[in-house]
Amino acid sequence: MQEINVSTVSVIHLLGFQDTRRETFFFLFFAVYCVTVCGNLLIIALVSYSRILHTPMYFFLTQLSVSDIILASDILPNILQAAVVKDNVLSFTDCIAQFYFFDVSETADCLLLTVMCYDRYLAICRPLHYTHIMTHQFCLRMVIVTWITSASVVLIHTLTITKLDFRGPNIIDHFFCDLEPILQLSCSDITAVEIEVTMLSALLVGIPFVIIIISYVYIIVAILQIPSVTGRQKAFSTCSAHLFAVSMYYGTLLCVYLVPSGNQSWNVTKFLSLLYTVVTPLMNPIIYSLRNKDLRNAVEKVISEIYHFARNYR
């Protein structure tokens, strides 16, 4: 009788961060999680509430906040659990699910940053065509396409991974279920999966990155052609937050996934992974709030209204 190839790995042990003070570690990341979720929810609420923020740029920013909340909620609770218990154990299904939502969020971030770059390109380089192209219907379609594409494409290689044979070991030296650590557990030939992931990454990460670079070349050229210094500063301020977010997002991804793993220790890999899984969702609302006058004004207006309401209520 032919032997049935069945996965025998039912649980995954995540080593996470060893040799750390658990109490400090827990409260630090608990604070990071609370600030991340509250900060991104605040942006969503402000954009929904304030009429002045009902523009394509802020609409895309709310979707970026949704993606960051998904990423933080996918990764940080597991880190907090690792700080509480010595043996951090996930079922194999939960591990695959964590990887899926992590990858969906990262892919959506990449596509959203590209769409936001296109929005800035039109606003600065093609201002006369901006309102005609960036309609509410167009923005809504772009967001729907972004989420459907992210969920569908990531599902393809996630299902491919589940078809591999996992018979042991079942220990991952990481704080979450990332692609490479999962593939290292497989007893099967992973060449097909690596080729598939490489092709999809080139399509959904590489091409958008090239588009962003080319767009910013045109944006910078257009800004330099503005005669007044005030005009140049105003134009640059509209895209500086996005440029910083793009640099942080792609910078950490390139360090983690393009530098050969043999050239960096797992501790370095974990630290770099923390940057785009934990720090980036935390920093995005802070970056856009500090660098954006409209958001600051919206916050001040809401605080003022709350103050007057409380004063009148008394």
Side-chain angles (χ1 to χ4, degrees), residues 81-279:
Q81 181 182 349
V84 175
V85 297
K86 291 184 178 180
D87 190 12
N88 189 18
V89 180
L90 286 178
S91 69
F92 183 77
T93 303
D94 288 343
C95 185
I96 295 298
Q98 185 185 56
F99 166 73
Y100 174 76
F101 286 107
F102 153 74
D103 211 3
V104 167
S105 175
E106 289 294 313
T107 305
D109 271 4
C110 180
L111 296 179
L112 287 169
L113 288 172
T114 307
V115 174
M116 293 171 74
C117 181
Y118 179 65
D119 172 77
R120 293 299 83 203
Y121 165 79
L122 287 177
I124 295 174
C125 301
R126 299 288 187 270
L128 297 179
H129 299 86
Y130 182 80
T131 55
H132 176 69
I133 296 175
M134 298 301 291
T135 62
H136 178 71
Q137 292 79 8
F138 177 81
C139 296
L140 189 60
R141 289 193 197 102
M142 294 300 293
V143 166
I144 292 173
V145 168
T146 292
W147 286 109
I148 291 178
T149 301
S150 301
S152 302
V153 172
V154 173
L155 184 62
I156 292 174
H157 60 256
T158 302
L159 291 176
T160 305
I161 292 172
T162 60
K163 294 178 181 178
L164 298 175
D165 186 19
F166 293 91
R167 295 180 176 273
N170 64 342
I171 298 176
I172 290 180
D173 187 10
H174 212 327
F175 62 87
F176 76 104
C177 295
D178 202 358
L179 176 64
E180 184 178 352
I182 292 176
L183 293 181
Q184 288 179 353
L185 301 183
S186 176
C187 303
S188 307
D189 183 6
I190 61 174
T191 304
V193 179
E194 290 177 331
I195 293 174
E196 181 182 278
V197 170
T198 301
M199 292 177 62
L200 294 175
S201 298
L203 180 65
L204 295 178
V205 179
I207 293 177
F209 181 62
V210 173
I211 293 173
I212 290 174
I213 294 296
I214 295 174
S215 297
Y216 267 107
V217 170
Y218 282 102
I219 289 172
I220 292 172
V221 171
I223 291 176
L224 293 177
Q225 291 176 347
I226 298 175
S228 67
V229 176
T230 304
R232 288 196 296 268
Q233 291 176 344
K234 184 178 180 180
F236 182 75
S237 66
T238 62
C239 58
S240 58
H242 177 263
L243 183 59
F244 191 89
V246 168
S247 302
M248 185 167 56
Y249 173 81
Y250 276 102
T252 53
L253 281 185
L254 292 175
C255 290
V256 172
Y257 293 110
L258 291 189
V259 176
S261 58
N263 294 346
Q264 56 187 12
S265 68
W266 271 113
N267 288 331
V268 174
T269 301
K270 290 176 186 178
F271 173 75
L272 293 174
S273 298
L274 269 180
L275 292 181
Y276 68 86
T277 58
V278 176
V279 177

Side-chain angles (χ1 to χ4, degrees), residues 61-82:
L61 182 58
T62 61
Q63 299 304 305
L64 189 65
S65 293
V66 170
S67 178
D68 287 342
I69 291 173
I70 293 174
L71 179 59
S73 299
D74 185 48
I75 302 296
L76 278 166
N78 194 255
I79 296 179
L80 295 175
Q81 181 182 349

